[in-house]
Amino acid sequence: MAKEVMIQVKNLCKSYGDKQILKNIDAEFHKGDVVAIIGPSGCGKSTFLRMLNLLEKPTSGDILLDGKSILDKNVSKPTIRARVGMVFQQFNLFKNMTALKNVMFAPVKLGRMTKAEGEKQAMELLKRVGLADRADHYPAQLSGGQQQRVAIARAAAMNPEAILFDEPTSALDPEMVGEVLKIMKDLAQSGMTMLVVTHEMGFAREVANRVLFFADGVIKEQGTPEEIFEHPKDDRLKDFLAAIKK
């Protein structure tokens, strides 16, 4: 049975002045998909992800969530961001709040939960990411890997339908990368729909069910991890894979 389409991107373009970053992108993402988005730096991967979360506005084209445009002027950005969460490269935690308060803040602030309910859920999520014993620690008291795990728990606290990850391990020391990837792998196995811009090819191979290769502002090739990594067709993709193997 075909999986239900959750996010549909139609003819999406993004320019900054004369510089066109993305050109006529068409893509579909299904419920339960774990999609790795790979490609050289500066090819528009992060810009693409940010548009799905309404952090950037497309120059033209459309983005549909469950068949409805999120670019409609009547659409509430907070509502979309509650449905499609985001985890950033630089964690973006509130520095003046403990790990617990960071995780419970949004659902309580938006009236989705009482303070007691938010605190209970936040503790459960911190436990899930292995940080229950750090609940009362502030971001400055946590390692980069721990901060990113709190950020993932925070994104999950809104019970989103999908989570976007923008290079979630690139700001981490190498020994901390594994702990964050493990949490992401657990999330994927729980059925969460995930779109991950990443340089971690091992994660893309092992966890993703689909890989998109961006270059020169377009999706040059897409397919299963096996198709992309073992049988690439596009010359630009072949060069990219050869370069990262060196």
Side-chain angles (χ1 to χ4, degrees):
M1 197 173 94
K3 287 196 289 185
E4 184 186 334
V5 175
M6 181 186 287
I7 300 169
Q8 196 172 12
V9 176
K10 293 181 171 181
N11 209 22
L12 202 67
C13 298
K14 179 66 179 175
S15 299
Y16 296 107
D18 296 337
K19 188 173 167 65
Q20 192 167 20
I21 306 294
L22 292 169
K23 308 165 193 168
N24 305 318
I25 302 290
D26 288 306
E28 281 187 353
F29 304 100
H30 301 84
K31 212 176 174 78
D33 265 353
V34 179
V35 179
I37 300 171
I38 65 171
S41 295
C43 69
K45 306 183 299 291
S46 292
T47 301
F48 175 71
L49 214 62
R50 289 169 68 83
M51 286 194 287
L52 300 183
N53 196 246
L54 297 177
L55 290 165
E56 299 260 2
K57 193 176 176 188
T59 307
S60 61
D62 206 356
I63 301 165
L64 308 181
L65 179 60
D66 291 337
K68 293 179 182 163
S69 175
I70 67 170
L71 303 177
D72 187 290
K73 64 178 187 301
N74 298 317
V75 165
S76 150
K77 286 183 182 179
T79 300
I80 296 300
R81 289 175 188 152
R83 294 178 64 191
V84 181
M86 188 146 180
V87 174
F88 301 89
Q89 191 174 336
Q90 298 293 348
F91 327 134
N92 287 13
L93 296 176
F94 296 115
K95 293 182 170 57
N96 62 336
M97 290 185 191
T98 62
L100 182 75
K101 292 246 168 68
N102 262 286
V103 176
M104 65 185 277
F105 177 76
V108 174
K109 169 93 173 163
L110 294 172
R112 293 203 163 189
M113 295 181 178
T114 64
K115 192 175 174 189
E117 289 166 344
E119 194 166 319
K120 182 170 183 273
Q121 178 189 253
M123 275 308 296
E124 286 165 1
L125 286 165
L126 287 172
K127 187 175 178 184
R128 190 170 161 190
V129 299
L131 290 173
D133 61 336
R134 297 283 192 278
D136 59 352
H137 286 50
Y138 289 87
Q141 299 170 303
L142 301 171
S143 70
Q146 288 169 337
Q147 288 185 61
Q148 193 60 295
R149 280 149 61 195
V150 172
I152 292 170
R154 180 180 64 178
M158 290 299 288
N159 297 312
E161 294 159 53
I163 301 180
L164 313 174
F165 293 82
D166 186 12
E167 300 192 23
T169 58
S170 64
L172 301 179
D173 293 333
E175 67 268 23
M176 294 174 186
V177 169
E179 65 187 51
V180 171
L181 291 179
K182 181 187 180 301
I183 301 301
M184 291 171 64
K185 192 173 170 183
D186 290 348
L187 256 185
Q189 287 170 345
S190 76
M192 176 60 74
T193 305
M194 297 164 58
L195 275 61
V196 187
V197 170
T198 186
H199 293 293
E200 299 293 334
M201 296 303 142
F203 176 87
R205 277 174 184 266
E206 188 188 343
V207 184
N209 66 302
R210 202 149 57 92
V211 181
L212 269 55
F213 173 65
F214 274 68
D216 309 320
V218 298
I219 299 173
K220 288 274 190 183
E221 193 168 333
Q222 58 180 303
T224 64
E226 186 184 5
E227 286 165 346
I228 293 295
F229 293 110
E230 307 302 331
H231 311 288
K233 299 182 186 74
D234 182 80
D235 287 339
R236 187 75 181 80
L237 174 56
K238 289 175 186 173
D239 291 345
F240 174 78
L241 293 173
I244 59 175
K245 278 177 186 166
K246 285 177 184 172

